[in-house]
Amino acid sequence: MKLTKKVMALALASCMAMSLAACGGSKPAETTAAATEAATTEAAAESTEAATEAETTAAEAAAATEGKDPAEIKVGISIYQFADNFMTLYREELQKYLVEECGLKAENISIMDGKNDQGEQMNQIRNFITQGYDVMIINLVQASSEPTVTEECNAAGIPVVYINREPEAEREAAWVSEGIKATYVGADARQSGTYQGEEIADLENKGDADGDGVVRYIMVQGDPENVDAQYRTEKSIEALTGAGVEVEELVKMRGDWDQTKGQEITANALSQHGAKIDVVFCNNDAMALGALQAIEAAGRKVNEDIYLVGVDALVEVVEHVMNGKMTGTVFNDYFGQAHTAADKALDFVNGKDVDNVYMVDYVKVTPENAAEILDLIK
């Protein structure tokens, strides 16, 4: 628009000069010169303004491309419970990556302990909103609270990256249809359950420790309302039956991802069912460590007269897989998940497109690859 005005001004000056000449010089020459000079001056001003405007637009475009200065970005993070072994590894890696690799200031990253209390976590989230954080990364205490969290964050214009505990698939689809800036970064718990079952099915005796033709097991669950616990429970047994193994469930109890509860459940089951128990499935490694305590206290020996598998690949558990004190576990790749969660949070802040779900693969941990996994996580 500005460049068009310049052309018009020059054209007007030219026409004025031609018109005056055709009229036989009825105006003094200095008048013609003044008109031409005025038009030229206006055109020059317009040109300068256009150039300045173009430079400003280019600068704004460059800034948009580069995104917000990482040192200015404020990230609010709430973890369902700091006492959780796996989430401790996750949050430590998340903070390290945000600071060392993404360039955020440590003081602009607030990581809160939800204390396994949804009310406490909601207060933390509302404080993040009040304090004007740019983005949140939330490990929900209860996945069912997602609609409320999303609604309040969306109303405040703050994107949310959910981690570890996956909301309902219908809700994830709604983020897309309703244009809500929310995403989930995690790992498909069905895969972890399947891998647990395969680790037992791949044994020479397919987990039938007493050789009677039936694999009898106990299942130590995390939280039955949690989708990860549901899938790990279901898919581990499906993998066994899919391999042609006859199974019988002796005990299935809620352990809330807790080592002490894992020990208590296993001890009670061993007291009640004794040598009938072939396999102990645990939805996570913390409970598996508790189960191991109970197994050893009962005089049983893993990989000889009973089998034990978990999920997460905690350092201590991987070492137990290497020395034969555990049958196997499944690596829940907190490196990949933490890095992806951080990357997507910053993509939101910088106005980039973000999908509604990102999944990171699990990895089986067996005696064959345990040393390699240990090198990675230590």
Side-chain angles (χ1 to χ4, degrees):
M1 180 64 72
K2 300 297 183 183
L3 293 177
T4 302
K5 285 184 177 180
K6 175 185 175 184
V7 173
M8 291 176 64
L10 290 172
L12 177 60
S14 177
C15 289
M16 288 175 64
M18 290 175 64
S19 175
L20 290 170
C23 292
S26 57
K27 294 290 184 181
E30 56 269 24
T31 302
T32 302
T36 303
E37 181 180 0
T40 303
T41 300
E42 181 184 354
E46 295 285 3
S47 178
T48 300
E49 183 182 349
T52 301
E53 183 178 32
E55 289 174 3
T56 301
T57 302
E60 290 173 348
T65 301
E66 293 174 3
K68 187 170 182 177
D69 182 354
E72 297 178 358
I73 296 174
K74 295 177 65 178
V75 181
I77 302 170
S78 180
I79 303 299
Y80 96 97
Q81 182 172 245
F82 278 11
D84 185 292
N85 306 55
F86 174 73
M87 288 312 300
T88 296
L89 296 171
Y90 193 126
R91 64 183 166 85
E92 289 175 350
E93 181 61 27
L94 179 59
Q95 182 173 28
K96 179 181 178 182
Y97 182 77
L98 283 168
V99 174
E100 297 182 5
E101 301 296 330
C102 301
L104 274 69
K105 290 183 178 179
E107 58 266 32
N108 286 342
I109 302 169
S110 179
I111 306 181
M112 306 297 293
D113 182 0
K115 301 177 182 178
N116 205 24
D117 182 330
Q118 190 59 56
E120 174 77 15
Q121 186 171 67
M122 284 307 306
N123 288 335
Q124 295 167 3
I125 291 167
R126 286 165 182 152
N127 284 336
F128 288 150
I129 292 173
T130 300
Q131 294 167 26
Y133 277 73
D134 295 294
V135 64
M136 292 188 211
I137 299 175
I138 305 296
N139 170 214
L140 291 166
V141 172
Q142 296 173 354
S144 58
S145 67
E146 175 275 322
T148 300
V149 175
T150 302
E151 180 181 353
E152 294 193 19
C153 290
N154 186 54
I158 301 175
V160 185
V161 177
Y162 291 105
I163 61 172
N164 187 251
R165 293 188 170 182
E166 186 173 8
E168 295 289 339
E170 293 79 6
R171 289 292 307 156
E172 293 172 338
W175 301 338
V176 177
S177 61
E178 297 174 19
I180 294 171
K181 292 185 177 180
T183 189
Y184 173 72
V185 175
D188 188 344
R190 288 168 290 200
Q191 185 184 52
S192 63
T194 297
Y195 284 174
Q196 280 188 303
E198 289 177 352
E199 287 175 343
I200 300 300
D202 288 344
L203 296 170
E204 187 175 352
N205 63 1
K206 297 187 182 297
D208 184 10
D210 59 10
D212 68 353
V214 179
V215 172
R216 295 179 175 87
Y217 68 91
I218 70 170
M219 181 68 67
V220 186
Q221 285 191 298
D223 173 0
E225 297 179 4
N226 180 281
V227 68
D228 283 9
Q230 294 167 7
Y231 282 142
R232 288 173 187 173
T233 297
E234 173 188 343
K235 296 299 179 180
S236 58
I237 305 308
E238 280 188 9
L240 268 181
T241 57
V245 178
E246 184 179 346
V247 301
E248 180 184 345
E249 180 181 278
L250 298 177
V251 174
K252 179 168 69 177
M253 290 192 68
R254 173 177 181 155
D256 288 322
W257 315 107
D258 181 75
Q259 181 168 336
T260 299
K261 290 185 179 180
Q263 186 273 333
E264 293 172 350
I265 292 168
T266 306
N268 290 336
L270 286 167
S271 176
Q272 181 180 357
H273 299 285
K276 289 183 180 180
I277 301 173
D278 295 302
V279 181
V280 179
F281 286 99
C282 295
N283 284 172
N284 78 340
D285 277 352
M287 295 187 297
L289 287 171
L292 178 60
Q293 292 173 315
I295 289 168
E296 291 179 336
R300 304 285 294 274
K301 192 166 183 180
V302 173
N303 292 332
E304 290 190 13
D305 59 15
I306 194 168
Y307 300 99
L308 173 64
V309 290
V311 176
D312 283 340
L314 300 179
V315 169
E316 185 178 356
V317 171
V318 176
E319 290 174 340
H320 286 333
V321 173
M322 291 175 65
N323 62 30
K325 294 177 70 174
M326 282 191 64
T327 308
T329 184
V330 182
F331 179 38
N332 195 353
D333 184 4
Y334 57 87
F335 293 103
Q337 292 178 59
H339 297 179
T340 302
D343 290 342
K344 297 311 159 187
L346 299 185
D347 282 349
F348 270 136
V349 173
N350 293 320
K352 297 182 180 179
D353 290 337
V354 177
D355 292 337
N356 61 335
V357 176
Y358 293 87
M359 289 296 186
V360 177
D361 281 337
Y362 285 94
V363 179
K364 289 182 190 177
V365 181
T366 64
E368 289 72 29
N369 72 342
E372 179 183 347
I373 297 296
L374 188 62
D375 286 341
L376 175 65
I377 63 179
K378 269 191 122 174

